[in-house]
Amino acid sequence: MQPEPTAELRHRIVEAPAGRLHLVEQGTGPLVLLVHGFPESWYSWRRQLPALAAAGYRAVAIDVRGYGRSSRPEATDAYRMLDLVEDNAAVVRALGEDGAVVVGHDWGAGIAAASALLHPEVFRAVGLLSVPYAPPGGPRPSEVFRRIGGPDQEFYVSYFQEPGRAEAEIEPDVRGWLAGFYAALSGDTMPAPDEPDPHFVAHGGRLRDRFPAGPFPAWLTEEDLDVYAGEFERTGLTGALNRYRSMDRDWEDLAPYRGAPIGQPALFVGGALDASTTWMADAIDAHSTTLPGLSASHILDGCGHWIQQERPDEVNRLLTDWLATLQGWARPGVRRAGRGGPSGAGTRGPPAAAWTGGGLSGGAGRESPP
C-alpha cells in the first residue's frame, strides 16, 4: 500500500520538563523522533522529514532544550542527560503516542541512546548517527579530557567547560564561526591529516584558528547557513554549550547504569572520515555486546561528521530500510528481556568520555587523539 501524500511541515510547541519544546513534524504513521546535535537544530533533519513521511512514518524533529525555539533554562545543570531524556519522553506523550523509534546525531545520538536505556517502554528502537554507543562508566570525563589535551594544547571539550569562554569566541561572529566549524568537520572540506587538528586549541588561541579557509561544504548553502546563524544569533550559544558542561554530572547520574547494554533493535551509521568513528572504533567493535539488538551498521566512505546532511539520500535509504524491519517488533508497554537498566549485562564499555561524545566529532581520519 502506497503512503498517502505527505502534508507540509507543521511547527508545534509542546510542554515538557524544559518548559516548552519546539518541534517540526511531517507525515502520519508510527512515530520517529529525530534528535539533533551541536551546533544544529531541528533543521539538520530537513532532508529526512519528507523522506520518512513519504515512507509512512510520523517524523518529528525537535529543537533540543537550549536551542532554537525551545526553552533555555539558565542553570547549567538543567542540561544534564536525565533531563534531556525526560524531554524526549514528554514529547512522545504530548503527541498522543505511547512509543517511538528515536534517532539521534552527534549529541543527539547520546541523548537517543540514553532515552532508549532509561525508557525502553517508550523508545522501542534506537538509531545512532556518527556517535556509537558505549555504556556509562569509566573515569570522570573532565579528567579524561584534560589528559587528551597535553601540555601545548587543549581538547575542545575542556575549552568549552568555562562559562562564557567559548561564547566570547563564537558570538561576535556567529555566522563566520559556524561556517568554519561546519567546514572543519565535513568530508569534502576538513583539514588534511598533516594539518593542525581542529579538535584542539593552542594555549592562548581560539578554536577557529584551525578552521579551514575556503568554500562551503557541498551540503551547506548560504540559505542553510542563514537558518543556523539566525537561530544562534537570537539565542546565543550558552544553552548549547551547557550540554558539554554537564558531562561530569551525567557520569554521576548514570552510575547505576554502568556497563548497561541497550537491547532494543538498533542502527548505527558513521562517516569514515569522522573522528567519532575513528576515535571510537573500539566502541563500534563492542556493539555486538553493548547493542545486542543491532541489526545494521554502516560506515559511509568519504563522509565526515554531518552525516545526514552530507549524504541525505543514502541516510534516508538506510533509515527507511531499517525502520521497515521493525514493524510489529513489540506491542505498546511490552518490555523485552535484555533491555538496559541498572542490572543490565555487566560488560564495561569504553570510558564515559567516549560514551558521552557528541559535539565536535569530526576529523581527518585520525585513529585516536594524540
Side-chain angles (χ1 to χ4, degrees):
M1 178 173 149
Q2 294 293 326
E4 61 185 67
T6 58
E8 294 182 355
L9 298 176
R10 302 181 295 277
H11 291 255
R12 294 180 57 179
I13 298 291
V14 299
E15 294 300 314
R20 68 178 188 280
L21 281 180
H22 170 245
L23 59 85
V24 179
E25 64 175 313
Q26 189 170 9
T28 59
L31 177 60
V32 180
L33 185 65
L34 304 170
V35 188
H36 67 81
F38 175 91
E40 301 173 280
S41 71
W42 75 267
Y43 188 76
S44 69
W45 301 103
R46 61 194 177 281
R47 307 284 181 81
Q48 284 66 55
L49 288 165
L52 292 172
Y57 298 96
R58 184 183 187 184
V60 173
I62 65 170
D63 279 338
V64 173
R65 71 163 70 188
Y67 289 82
R69 303 183 203 176
S70 293
S71 291
R72 300 185 300 280
E74 291 187 11
T76 300
D77 67 1
Y79 296 85
R80 58 203 283 207
M81 186 63 75
L82 294 182
D83 289 336
L84 300 178
V85 167
E86 294 309 316
D87 285 346
N88 280 357
V91 168
V92 174
R93 292 192 298 268
L95 294 174
E97 304 282 358
D98 57 14
V101 174
V102 60
V103 179
H105 167 255
D106 181 82
W107 262 124
I111 298 168
S115 298
L117 179 66
L118 301 180
H119 283 298
E121 76 286 358
V122 176
F123 300 103
R124 298 171 193 147
V126 58
L128 307 178
L129 304 186
S130 297
V131 178
Y133 176 64
R140 183 178 291 273
S142 58
E143 296 173 358
V144 174
F145 298 134
R146 278 196 296 271
R147 292 198 298 268
I148 290 174
D152 299 322
Q153 57 187 0
E154 187 176 13
F155 194 49
Y156 78 97
V157 180
S158 296
Y159 179 71
F160 284 169
Q161 293 304 305
E162 181 183 341
R165 185 182 178 197
E167 289 93 329
E169 172 186 337
I170 302 168
E171 291 180 357
D173 178 21
V174 169
R175 195 174 194 279
W177 194 92
L178 290 175
F181 186 88
Y182 296 145
L185 309 184
S186 295
D188 57 343
T189 53
M190 62 175 54
D194 60 349
E195 293 182 300
D197 190 334
H199 297 86
F200 295 87
V201 182
H203 291 307
R206 305 170 303 170
L207 198 63
R208 70 185 303 162
D209 293 339
R210 299 186 177 187
F211 292 169
F216 285 2
W219 62 266
L220 183 68
T221 68
E222 293 280 357
E223 292 75 18
D224 295 332
L225 185 58
D226 286 343
V227 172
Y228 286 125
E231 290 289 69
F232 286 112
E233 286 169 351
R234 180 176 58 81
T235 65
L237 272 291
T238 297
L241 290 165
N242 279 344
R243 174 84 287 275
Y244 292 92
R245 295 164 185 162
S246 300
M247 294 174 75
D248 279 352
R249 182 61 179 269
D250 296 340
W251 181 77
E252 297 169 357
D253 287 341
L254 294 169
Y257 293 84
R258 185 182 184 91
I262 295 172
Q264 295 97 308
L267 165 74
F268 174 71
V269 186
L273 300 181
D274 184 356
S276 298
T277 300
T278 57
W279 290 2
M280 298 185 70
D282 288 348
I284 297 172
D285 290 343
H287 275 167
S288 60
T289 300
T290 61
L291 284 180
L294 184 72
S295 58
S297 183
H298 306 272
I299 304 297
L300 307 187
D301 288 340
C303 187
H305 182 62
W306 317 107
I307 190 164
Q308 78 270 29
Q309 299 180 89
E310 293 185 48
R311 300 287 181 82
D313 293 341
E314 196 166 357
V315 168
N316 290 346
R317 177 180 59 80
L318 294 173
L319 281 175
T320 54
D321 286 353
W322 173 67
L323 288 167
T325 70
L326 304 179
Q327 301 304 314
W329 179 80
R331 300 188 304 278
V334 174
R335 296 175 64 111
R336 292 176 66 116
R339 290 186 176 185
S343 58
T347 56
R348 272 190 70 177
W355 176 80
T356 46
L360 182 49
S361 304
R366 298 174 177 85
E367 290 300 321
S368 62

